[in-house]
Amino acid sequence: MKKLREGVSTGSCMTGGAAAAALWLTTGKCPDIITVETPIGKTLYLDVIPKEKGICGIVKDAGDDPDVTNGSEVITSVKILPEDGEITFVGGDGIGTITQEGLKLPVGEPAINPVPRQMAEKALRKIIGNRGAVVTVSIPGGGELAKRTFNPRLGVLGGLSVLGTTGIVRPMSEEAMKDSLLVELDMYARQGHRSILFVLGTTGENALKARYGQFACVLQVSNYIGFMIEEAVERGFTDILIGGFVGKLVKVASGTMNTHSHVADGRLETICTHAALHGASREVIEKIYSCVTTKAAMKIVEEEGLMDIWKDMAEKAALHCKKTAHEMAEVGIIFLDGDNQVLAESENVQEILPKVLRQQEE
């Protein structure tokens, strides 16, 4: 198997651009290549695109990671102040602004995360000493690209975030996805929320909002149900609703806490087991078991008058989730059918719903 190529974080691009711009200002010459020391000890060698004195660009190379900013130019300008002082950061074109509490930066700040700031400051101090400076970062086209990221959900508006805790981009989209989910979960925890709705995707989220109303905080957890339950409990959440298409969530009724097809399946086996417990004949169970899709199995279940099994499976899924939460949170399950209507709820959903729904005064 081919080894995937690592990339360079947006924070490293900003750091490289800032260092190159500062060298241009202090030496009169813009370097062709700039070195960046990452927090994990790797040294990067980045090509510099000179713009004008004190302004340099670095093209983001995300390696083999499917990063929306791959190929974007990160442009950094540096203004060195005459007196000693702090280094401040300004968001230029394409950089978002923090509008919600709970992130690592205060409301109103440009979305340039703490580690990239520290990296840039460390690099600049080697060049300008104790002098004050203003660093302005831009990513042309960042406003449009940001619509394809988690930023709108996090209340980061108007553009992208300058990210990176290691300085490099590892081509592991699952790890990156989990990191993104935890940023959102941390934000809700810091805002004081202790109840949350987990959904598998946008379609399910929209369907649940249409059925129940607006939720105080919603997080699209993709396939990582068990992981996110454990992380939520660790952060003090005590009530969790999980809603989504039964074709995915039925796996949870068998105790499968990662619903990705490469991890496990067991959908038809689970449906067959519950159909048998409800008195289905061997012939019916064989028909269900021979189905290729959950949708086909659902049709047989309906034709055979076995619709009560969905409620049982929702209860079983809720039980497995509560065990995953180490009994420290109440977890309710909502199955949606193929038309995004509620197929079944676990018994505790009606108890959890008022805690998860947004209150009128909010």
Side-chain angles (χ1 to χ4, degrees):
M1 183 178 173
K2 176 193 165 193
K3 184 180 178 183
L4 297 177
R5 189 170 60 88
E6 292 180 341
V8 178
S9 72
T10 319
S12 288
C13 293
M14 177 190 77
T15 299
L23 283 171
W24 196 354
L25 290 171
T26 54
T27 68
K29 185 182 177 186
C30 180
D32 296 324
I33 295 174
I34 193 77
T35 60
V36 172
E37 299 298 329
T38 67
I40 59 170
K42 285 196 174 185
T43 302
L44 305 174
Y45 301 89
L46 308 178
D47 293 326
V48 178
I49 303 169
K51 297 296 180 180
E52 57 184 85
K53 196 168 185 180
I55 305 176
C56 294
I58 306 278
V59 173
K60 167 78 177 279
D61 176 4
D64 287 326
D65 193 71
D67 190 316
V68 298
T69 58
N70 184 49
S72 297
E73 189 175 7
V74 180
I75 301 172
T76 310
S77 79
V78 174
K79 180 182 177 184
I80 302 173
L81 303 177
E83 306 292 333
D84 288 354
E86 64 181 3
I87 295 172
T88 57
F89 292 84
V90 177
D93 176 35
I95 302 298
T97 301
I98 308 291
T99 67
Q100 282 195 45
E101 293 180 359
L103 295 175
K104 293 179 181 177
L105 296 164
V107 170
E109 275 287 305
I112 304 167
N113 279 20
V115 172
R117 291 181 188 228
Q118 291 160 13
M119 287 174 64
E121 181 158 358
K122 184 178 178 183
L124 286 173
R125 287 294 174 215
K126 292 179 180 177
I127 300 165
I128 66 171
N130 294 323
R131 296 272 289 279
V134 178
V135 177
T136 304
V137 192
S138 303
I139 303 177
E144 278 302 307
L145 289 175
K147 294 174 184 176
R148 294 157 53 192
T149 71
F150 281 91
N151 276 12
R153 297 183 68 87
L154 296 172
V156 178
L157 302 183
L160 295 161
S161 299
V162 177
L163 301 171
T165 54
T166 63
I168 61 171
V169 176
R170 290 195 175 95
M172 292 182 281
S173 53
E174 183 168 316
E175 184 179 312
M177 170 69 88
K178 286 180 176 179
D179 286 346
S180 297
L181 293 174
L182 292 182
V183 169
E184 193 170 351
L185 187 64
D186 281 337
M187 179 183 76
Y188 290 136
R190 290 192 191 106
Q191 290 173 352
H193 293 286
R194 294 297 174 261
S195 306
I196 193 167
L197 169 68
F198 286 166
V199 293
L200 307 188
T202 303
T203 304
E205 178 178 342
N206 292 339
L208 291 167
K209 285 177 178 176
R211 169 68 177 83
Y212 298 105
Q214 292 299 310
F215 293 85
C217 50
V218 185
L219 214 166
Q220 292 185 15
V221 299
S222 184
N223 295 297
Y224 311 114
I225 292 169
F227 170 77
M228 291 305 294
I229 289 172
E230 290 181 340
E231 294 293 339
V233 168
E234 198 171 294
R235 287 157 176 77
F237 285 85
T238 54
D239 294 278
I240 303 168
L241 268 189
I242 303 173
F245 175 52
V246 67
K248 279 277 191 184
L249 279 186
V250 74
K251 296 180 184 182
V252 181
S254 70
T256 302
M257 289 295 147
N258 182 328
T259 58
H260 197 291
S261 56
H262 79 254
V263 174
D265 196 342
R267 293 167 299 162
L268 297 172
E269 289 83 352
T270 305
I271 295 169
C272 286
T273 298
H274 284 268
L277 289 170
H278 277 251
S281 68
R282 176 172 180 148
E283 182 188 0
V284 169
I285 292 167
E286 285 178 345
K287 277 169 66 179
I288 294 171
Y289 193 60
S290 67
C291 290
V292 177
T293 65
T294 310
K295 196 168 184 180
M298 289 170 72
K299 188 177 179 187
I300 295 168
V301 168
E302 185 173 7
E303 288 170 351
E304 298 295 334
L306 295 165
M307 293 299 283
D308 286 351
I309 70 170
W310 303 119
K311 173 83 169 172
D312 283 0
M313 280 187 275
E315 292 295 344
K316 194 70 174 175
L319 184 64
H320 281 302
C321 288
K322 193 167 183 180
K323 286 179 182 175
T324 301
H326 310 292
E327 308 286 331
M328 295 168 68
E330 196 65 38
V331 186
I333 297 289
I334 302 171
F335 286 162
L336 298 174
D337 65 15
D339 298 317
N340 291 311
Q341 300 300 312
V342 173
L343 181 65
E345 299 175 345
S346 59
E347 196 69 41
N348 57 1
V349 164
Q350 293 305 315
E351 176 192 331
I352 298 171
L353 258 176
K355 302 174 185 178
V356 182
L357 287 170
R358 183 176 293 169
Q359 303 303 310
Q360 290 292 332
E361 60 268 22
E362 291 183 10

